Amino acid sequence: MLYLLPRHLSPPRPSILDAVYTKLLSFDITAQAFVPKNTDYKTVKSVQELTLDHPQIALRKDFLKNYLVKLVTTKDLGPDSKFWVYLNNVGIMHTGKPGFKHREKKPELRVEYIHMSVLLGYVVDVVIAAVMEMKEIDTATKSRVLRALNKVIWIQNDLFARHYLADENEEGK
C-alpha cells in the first residue's frame, strides 16, 4: 500500500525532512550523534554549530530523503525482495560495523539504537500527519497506507535491534 504515496511523498516534502532534523537537533543527546567526524565534512565541535543548512545535516537529510523514497516506491515486498536487504544494510550501517565500500576510508558511523528508534518513531509521526492531511486520499486508503507503513517501520526497527543486540551479545562473551 505504500506505493500509493509516491506522487504525494516522493520526493519527500522538504517540510518532512526539516521537521525530523529540527526535532533531532532540538535535543543535545540526539544532536550529539552528528558531532563526531563520520563524513568528509569539517568536524563539528559542538551541537550548537549544527543547523538545518549545515553540510553534515544536509547530507543526512539527503540520506533520509532517499530512504523515504525507497520506502514509498518499492512495490516488491516478497521474501526475496532486495528491499529487505536494503533495510538490513541500513540497520548494519548505523552500528559502526565495517563492510561497506563507500565507508572504507571513513571514520566509524555509530548511532546508538535508542536514537535510531527515536528517529523511526518521529519519522512515522511526521508521515502519519502528512498522510492524514492528504485530501485526495479517502479514509480507507489512508488507513491501509498507515498500517503498511507501521509494519515496514517495525520490521526496520527489528533489523536495527538485530544488529545492535548482536553487538551486546558479542561483548558479553
Side-chain angles (χ1 to χ4, degrees), residues 12-40:
R13 298 173 185 170
S15 61
I16 290 175
L17 301 171
D18 286 349
V20 170
Y21 279 89
T22 296
K23 182 61 89 175
L24 291 173
L25 294 175
S26 72
F27 299 101
D28 286 353
I29 194 156
T30 50
Q32 189 63 38
F34 302 110
V35 173
K37 183 171 177 61
N38 56 31
T39 65
D40 293 332

Side-chain angles (χ1 to χ4, degrees), residues 117-171:
S117 294
V118 166
L119 171 65
L120 286 177
Y122 195 68
V123 165
V124 166
D125 184 61
V126 171
V127 173
I128 285 172
V131 169
M132 293 307 294
E133 291 174 6
M134 293 177 183
K135 300 203 183 335
E136 59 276 14
I137 299 177
D138 62 79
T139 303
T141 302
K142 287 178 185 179
S143 176
R144 289 193 306 272
V145 164
L146 294 176
R147 289 176 66 210
L149 173 69
N150 187 50
K151 291 172 188 172
V152 171
I153 294 298
W154 272 104
I155 291 168
Q156 178 70 81
N157 189 57
D158 285 350
L159 292 169
F160 278 128
R162 169 186 184 188
H163 299 293
Y164 283 93
L165 295 176
D167 284 353
E168 289 177 15
N169 289 338
E170 289 172 15
E171 289 172 11

Side-chain angles (χ1 to χ4, degrees), residues 80-139:
D80 298 325
S81 172
K82 290 182 180 181
F83 180 67
W84 304 122
V85 173
Y86 170 77
L87 291 185
N88 191 51
N89 287 341
V90 169
I92 294 169
M93 171 181 315
H94 289 86
T95 64
K97 292 179 183 175
F100 293 99
K101 197 170 234 170
H102 72 283
R103 297 220 38 96
E104 280 178 357
K105 297 182 184 197
K106 296 182 181 177
E108 172 183 282
L109 170 63
R110 170 96 183 168
V111 181
E112 295 305 321
Y113 176 57
I114 189 171
H115 301 135
M116 294 309 302
S117 294
V118 166
L119 171 65
L120 286 177
Y122 195 68
V123 165
V124 166
D125 184 61
V126 171
V127 173
I128 285 172
V131 169
M132 293 307 294
E133 291 174 6
M134 293 177 183
K135 300 203 183 335
E136 59 276 14
I137 299 177
D138 62 79
T139 303

